[in-house]
Amino acid sequence: KEIPEEYQGIIKTFKEIKDRNTKVLPSQDVTAFGATVHLAVTWTKEQKDLPEEMSRVPIVVKPKDSMPSDYIKNNIKENVPVIKEFDWIQQYKPVNNHAIIVSGGNIDFEQVRAVKEKHNATVWAVKHSYPRLLKEGIVADYCVILDPRPIDGISTHGFKRKDLFETIDPTTKFVIASMTDTSVVEYVMSKTDNVLGFHAITDAVRDLSREDKFIVDPDLPIPSDTLFISGGTASATRTIGLLELLGIRNIHMFGFDCSVSEEVAEGNEEKDEVGNPKYLKVETGGHHFYTTGELLALAQDLEKMFEKKDLNLNIEFYGKDTLAAQVFEQSYYNEKFKVFEGFIKDAA
């Protein structure tokens, strides 16, 4: 924003520098008064340019619900009496069980089988991985559904959503968010009655008349003491939040890519839903990747989770050479957290 004259002293001083190189580094550090603080750098003419990493612009995705709030509220109102089973969502004590979360990226199915057998682990799928697991002879114990968009639409990965649920194993429990589109709920429940519900935290369930704290909209059929499932924009990360609530701490993560191949993205001029380029080239930790807005939001959710100093999970991440793998590699969780035995060895 334009800054009042009396506060432009440093800017005027910087502009007067003629005998040195100058540069204003990109920033998103907004003050309480609405202005953005930047770091202005000067260096001698004899010096080389600034290191490239100092001029990189951080990309921050600000997710919003993919459907209007009124639409999501209506989904909740219609789904709650249909799904019925919501009381199972409680705070449980920790157990030593293992769970495999399979997201929609590249999956090493042999490794999934090996982990499942070794740890007697339950398999938690999302809608994109569920049919692929079935095709490989792996029946997911649970399939988590979150999407508030109609079942006849095209998914993030380019599939018709209805096709992803064409084959349903009767032993799979479908864990469906109340905000899910009613057409999805109706279709899944026409094929199986093995369904559990949960409430996902989202702006649409808030009482907008209260800005001081989160209060459930009293018009929604959601009890005020409900435990909401958090975890970000995708079913896969919400599953992590759900498992933590259920007391499961040993998490094995498969299919978390958050990026697409160069062959898919290079030269592709496809647009997203609002007319922006669908594929973005990003960099982190010196590695470049192609991604989309939705996948980047997922990577951002993972980044925030892996940087939590109090993350009380034992995570095994599977996969490499992807944006999500790089986020995990350079995360606080992977680089700074130690097991107690490691601390003792270092101290010795």
Side-chain angles (χ1 to χ4, degrees), residues 13 24 29 46 49 81 89 118 143 151 166 190-191 196 201 207 241 258 267 272 275 295 310 326 332 337:
T13 301
V24 178
D29 187 9
E46 293 76 25
D49 200 357
I89 296 292
K118 179 179 179 180
C143 180
I151 196 166
E166 183 176 357
S190 71
K191 289 176 168 285
L196 298 170
I201 193 165
D207 181 354
C258 302
D272 63 16
L295 293 176
D310 59 346
Q326 183 59 35
Y332 179 90
F337 268 152

Side-chain angles (χ1 to χ4, degrees), residues 1-250:
K1 295 183 178 180
E2 187 65 29
I3 299 175
E5 178 74 20
E6 61 266 33
Y7 300 124
Q8 292 191 22
I10 189 65
I11 296 175
K12 293 178 179 178
T13 301
F14 187 68
K15 288 181 177 179
E16 288 297 318
I17 299 173
K18 306 298 182 185
D19 58 343
R20 296 170 64 88
N21 294 316
T22 62
K23 189 165 189 174
V24 178
L25 300 181
S27 171
Q28 295 177 333
D29 187 9
V30 181
T31 72
F33 302 102
T36 303
V37 177
H38 295 268
L39 185 64
V41 184
T42 79
W43 68 99
T44 61
K45 295 286 187 182
E46 293 76 25
Q47 294 289 332
K48 294 181 179 179
D49 200 357
L50 294 178
E52 182 183 350
E53 60 267 20
M54 294 185 69
S55 300
R56 292 174 183 147
V57 181
I59 300 176
V60 178
V61 179
K62 295 182 178 179
K64 63 178 182 178
D65 292 325
S66 55
M67 298 299 286
S69 290
D70 288 344
Y71 190 95
I72 292 175
K73 290 178 189 293
N74 184 67
N75 288 343
I76 295 172
K77 291 175 181 178
E78 292 194 27
N79 286 333
V80 167
V82 173
I83 296 175
K84 299 179 183 178
E85 297 292 337
F86 289 90
D87 292 343
W88 69 288
I89 296 292
Q90 302 177 31
Q91 182 73 59
Y92 297 93
K93 67 180 182 180
V95 292
N96 197 34
N97 298 1
H98 288 249
I100 299 168
I101 303 176
V102 188
S103 191
N106 293 304
I107 304 165
D108 186 331
F109 295 102
E110 287 303 317
Q111 204 162 28
V112 171
R113 291 188 185 92
V115 172
K116 177 177 171 61
E117 182 177 351
K118 179 179 179 180
H119 299 288
N120 192 27
T122 53
V123 177
W124 295 70
V126 299
K127 64 177 180 286
H128 285 105
S129 62
Y130 184 72
R132 295 166 62 194
L133 287 164
L134 283 180
K135 188 176 179 180
E136 291 290 330
I138 303 172
V139 178
D141 299 281
Y142 301 88
C143 180
V144 180
I145 305 175
L146 181 72
D147 202 334
R149 292 172 290 190
I151 196 166
D152 289 325
I154 302 301
S155 71
T156 306
H157 296 278
F159 295 92
K160 192 172 182 179
R161 296 186 188 96
K162 189 173 185 178
D163 294 343
L164 298 171
F165 304 116
E166 183 176 357
T167 302
I168 286 180
D169 188 282
T171 63
T172 301
K173 289 182 174 63
F174 280 81
V175 181
I176 306 179
S178 59
M179 66 181 286
T180 303
D181 193 88
T182 56
S183 62
V184 176
V185 176
E186 181 181 354
Y187 185 74
V188 171
M189 294 190 73
S190 71
K191 289 176 168 285
T192 180
D193 57 2
N194 208 357
V195 173
L196 298 170
F198 72 97
H199 296 294
I201 193 165
T202 174
D203 285 341
V205 302
R206 295 190 59 166
D207 181 354
L208 297 180
S209 67
R210 295 292 300 271
E211 296 183 359
D212 55 331
K213 60 180 178 179
F214 179 86
I215 300 292
V216 179
D217 186 336
D219 291 334
L220 294 175
I222 301 177
S224 59
D225 60 348
T226 293
L227 291 176
F228 286 88
I229 304 302
S230 62
T233 59
S235 300
T237 47
R238 294 278 178 153
T239 304
I240 296 172
L242 175 60
L243 289 174
E244 187 172 12
L245 185 69
L246 300 182
I248 299 174
R249 299 291 186 265
N250 299 305

